[in-house]
Amino acid sequence: TCFRTSIGGQALIEGILMRGPDRQAIVCRTGEGMTEKVEELKFVKDKHPVLGWPFIRGIVIFADSMIKGMGALSYSASLLPEEEQEEPTKLDLWLEKKLGSEKAQKAVIAIAAVLGVVLALALFLFLPTFLAGLIPGLEGQYTLRSLIEGVIKIVIFLVYLGLVAHMKEIKRLFSYHGAEHKTIFCYEKGLPLTVENVRPQSRFHPRCGTSFLLVVIILGLFVGLLIQVDNTLLRIALRILLLPVLVAVAYELNRWAGRHDTNIVSRIVTWPGKQLQRLTTNEPDDGMIECAIRAMELVIPEEKGKDAW
């Protein structure tokens, strides 16, 4: 590539979110054409510079991306035809009555984010540690137990992605994910953003969020070697305490690898994530590519090079 951009994206329901250095754009395809929503970004590090320091910024960026991503996903779902939207739950109706529609929507997004974190912890942290604890003869075998926990975690992660990848709605979501990657590659190569130029690009990008999650899991395998206790609940508690450290290190590693993607070490680091993208990205159609192109155009900064990685 000629240039490495910090612009990143997220697949939505029939659309794309792109986030640049100054603003983020949501472009979704509806029955009336493409719907656009652009928002100026405010970064907490601008008020508190310490939150932009290495090994701190990764935690802040991860939390901010998750919250903004949930909001964008909720917005894209609201654009679906009424017959395709889910009926509001009793909780939704109660929150809207008590807080009003705008505050209720924010509350629902916050609840969904919390539940998502709890589910992820249960599936990829509690369950592997619990299952490994059921294996007899591991008392005092801390290294072996940590390796078994790590292997179980990776297997659960891959099985989970493999199952959801076969769902009809998720297949389209993953196709939009592919369109996002292809468009970013096209922009980084300095080519005009057209469907014809985007289509032949690779859908496997070294700075993908999916790769970041895999790096967190793999790093967790090695960090788990530091946990020298047998009690399952205590092991779970220690893993939770170490989670911010994992996220911080994984972010810096991903950032370095993305900046030096021609380096042999970087290629080794990003190779597992690129292979994982065979599950999480699909080839997009032209309409999906058009959404990704428009979202990219809306967030490219006026000052050339401001979005350098």
Side-chain angles (χ1 to χ4, degrees):
T1 58
C2 303
F3 174 71
R4 295 174 183 85
T5 181
S6 61
I7 295 175
Q10 175 184 327
L12 304 175
I13 300 173
E14 295 302 324
I16 293 279
L17 162 71
M18 286 286 190
R19 185 178 295 115
D22 302 314
R23 53 191 176 271
Q24 73 172 24
I26 298 171
V27 179
C28 294
R29 188 166 291 282
T30 65
E32 288 75 38
M34 288 197 295
T35 299
E36 303 174 2
K37 181 181 180 182
V38 181
E39 297 175 320
E40 297 296 320
L41 291 175
K42 296 179 181 179
F43 299 100
V44 67
K45 68 177 182 179
D46 294 335
K47 287 186 177 181
H48 308 284
V50 66
L51 298 180
W53 290 4
F55 296 102
I56 296 177
R57 60 191 175 190
I59 302 168
V60 176
I61 290 172
F62 177 74
D64 182 66
S65 297
M66 186 175 67
I67 293 170
K68 285 186 170 65
M70 290 292 295
L73 200 59
S74 176
Y75 173 76
S76 68
S78 71
L79 297 176
L80 289 172
E82 288 189 13
E83 61 271 15
E84 295 183 27
Q85 295 186 27
E86 293 183 2
E87 290 293 325
T89 64
K90 291 182 179 180
L91 176 61
D92 294 333
L93 296 173
W94 182 82
L95 287 172
E96 188 169 349
K97 181 179 179 181
K98 295 292 183 181
L99 303 176
S101 58
E102 187 174 344
K103 288 184 177 180
Q105 186 180 20
K106 291 181 179 179
V108 169
I109 292 171
I111 292 170
V114 171
L115 290 177
V117 170
V118 171
L119 178 61
L121 289 175
L123 199 57
F124 304 119
L125 194 153
F126 299 164
L127 184 58
T129 307
F130 174 74
L131 291 177
L134 298 178
I135 300 174
L138 290 181
E139 291 79 7
Q141 303 291 323
Y142 305 126
T143 299
L144 179 58
R145 179 167 177 177
S146 294
L147 291 174
I148 291 173
E149 288 173 357
V151 170
I152 293 173
K153 192 181 302 182
I154 292 172
V155 169
I156 290 174
F157 184 57
L158 294 177
V159 170
Y160 171 79
L161 283 181
L163 290 175
V164 300
H166 287 86
M167 298 170 62
K168 181 181 176 182
E169 294 81 4
I170 301 300
K171 281 184 178 181
R172 288 192 62 80
L173 190 78
F174 285 174
S175 291
Y176 276 103
H177 192 190
E180 172 220 329
H181 285 185
K182 284 171 174 280
T183 302
I184 291 175
F185 264 130
C186 184
Y187 170 66
E188 290 182 323
K189 290 181 178 179
L191 299 172
L193 292 175
T194 64
V195 173
E196 291 72 23
N197 286 336
V198 169
R199 192 186 298 114
Q201 304 302 322
S202 172
R203 70 179 201 266
F204 309 128
H205 203 284
R207 296 185 293 281
C208 176
T210 309
S211 302
F212 169 78
L213 292 177
L214 185 59
V215 170
V216 169
I217 291 175
I218 294 174
L219 281 176
L221 191 153
F222 294 101
V223 172
L225 300 176
L226 302 175
I227 300 176
Q228 303 285 300
V229 296
D230 286 314
N231 185 275
T232 298
L233 292 179
L234 185 55
R235 290 183 71 84
I236 290 173
L238 290 172
R239 283 192 176 278
I240 292 174
L241 290 175
L242 288 170
L243 195 56
V245 178
L246 282 177
V247 171
V249 174
Y251 175 81
E252 298 301 329
L253 184 60
N254 229 38
R255 185 181 178 91
W256 175 86
R259 187 173 290 175
H260 303 85
D261 55 9
T262 57
N263 183 293
I264 184 64
V265 177
S266 173
R267 289 187 176 186
I268 292 171
V269 170
T270 58
W271 184 85
K274 288 181 178 179
Q275 301 312 304
L276 187 62
Q277 289 172 45
R278 295 182 185 278
L279 284 176
T280 63
T281 64
N282 294 323
E283 288 296 329
D285 60 33
D286 288 355
M288 296 171 179
I289 293 174
E290 288 170 356
C291 278
I293 289 174
R294 183 55 185 153
M296 172 65 81
E297 290 172 340
L298 291 170
V299 300
I300 294 174
E302 295 177 3
E303 181 184 337
K304 188 174 182 179
K306 187 177 181 180
D307 59 314
W309 179 257

